[in-house]
Amino acid sequence: MLIVASMFAAIIPMALYLFIIWKMDKYEPEPIKFVLYHFLWGAFGAIIFALLFSSIAAVALEASVGIAHPLVMTILTAPLMEEITKGIYLTKTYRDKRFDNITDGLVYGAAIGLGFGMTENFFYFIAYGNTFSEWIGIVIIRSGFSAVMHCIATGALGAVLGFVKFSTKSKKPFLVALGLLFAMA
């Protein structure tokens, strides 16, 4: 029962947020199928690569400086690996003709972040919902804050990519790096 309830608790809020964000693009809405591809990248592709790269980083940190403390991994490695893996698909989309304004970057990035947050929430709900009241608390906090943070961070990176794509500025790589740092922060 916990797995089924956790699955619904992870999917329903993120699907609702995704629908709201998609509908906010009033003037030139993105094809829902294309938005769903981004959501699925966040839910599966970005999660898998983030776990893989975070594990490699943990081993490398432990071997090089003797540090693999969970707090260090949470503060340093997780944001770096998560935002890079979420952003990988955005860089592919960046070259697509459908990515034609800043709002598109925001929508696609937010979709990736929501997918990532959905899968991460599912695992948290199962792992830390020991009692019903603890489970409800985790569902509320993670659905209202943590997953939304993934949405905002990757959405901001997407908006920066949208700005850079149509900018004539010569400092495009600097702006992209700044957008990635902002998303990680």
Side-chain angles (χ1 to χ4, degrees):
M1 182 66 179
L2 175 65
I3 291 175
V4 172
S6 294
M7 186 173 63
F8 280 111
I11 293 170
I12 292 171
M14 298 309 111
L16 179 62
Y17 293 152
L18 183 63
F19 179 76
I20 291 168
I21 288 170
W22 179 67
K23 291 302 276 180
M24 289 175 80
D25 189 1
K26 293 179 184 179
Y27 301 108
E28 192 181 337
E30 299 313 297
I32 191 65
K33 184 177 177 181
F34 203 50
V35 173
L36 288 174
Y37 288 155
H38 288 77
F39 182 82
L40 293 172
W41 169 258
F44 301 106
I47 285 279
I48 291 167
F49 285 112
L51 287 171
L52 176 67
F53 294 148
S54 291
S55 298
I56 292 168
V59 170
L61 276 172
E62 177 70 34
S64 63
V65 291
I67 299 174
H69 191 276
L71 186 59
V72 172
M73 299 309 294
T74 300
I75 294 171
L76 297 176
T77 308
L80 177 71
M81 298 304 156
E82 290 175 4
E83 291 312 319
I84 288 172
T85 59
K86 289 188 284 180
I88 288 170
Y89 203 74
L90 277 176
T91 60
K92 176 186 176 292
T93 304
Y94 175 85
R95 292 184 285 280
D96 191 284
K97 64 180 169 116
R98 290 172 280 204
F99 191 131
D100 58 5
N101 60 52
I102 293 171
T103 305
D104 293 353
L106 181 72
V107 169
Y108 294 135
I112 291 169
L114 289 170
F116 191 96
M118 178 193 70
T119 302
E120 190 178 70
N121 279 358
F122 175 71
F123 290 123
Y124 270 88
F125 298 163
I126 290 172
Y128 299 109
N130 297 325
T131 66
F132 182 71
S133 61
E134 285 177 0
W135 184 83
I136 290 292
I138 291 167
V139 167
I140 291 169
I141 289 169
R142 291 210 51 92
S143 296
F145 300 102
S146 300
V148 172
M149 177 269 312
H150 284 293
C151 172
I152 292 169
T154 313
L157 177 58
V160 168
L161 287 172
F163 174 77
V164 166
K165 183 172 183 174
F166 303 102
S167 175
T168 58
K169 305 221 183 271
S170 62
K171 297 180 169 113
K172 289 183 177 188
F174 172 75
L175 293 173
V176 171
L178 196 60
L180 184 60
L181 286 173
F182 178 77
M184 286 184 224

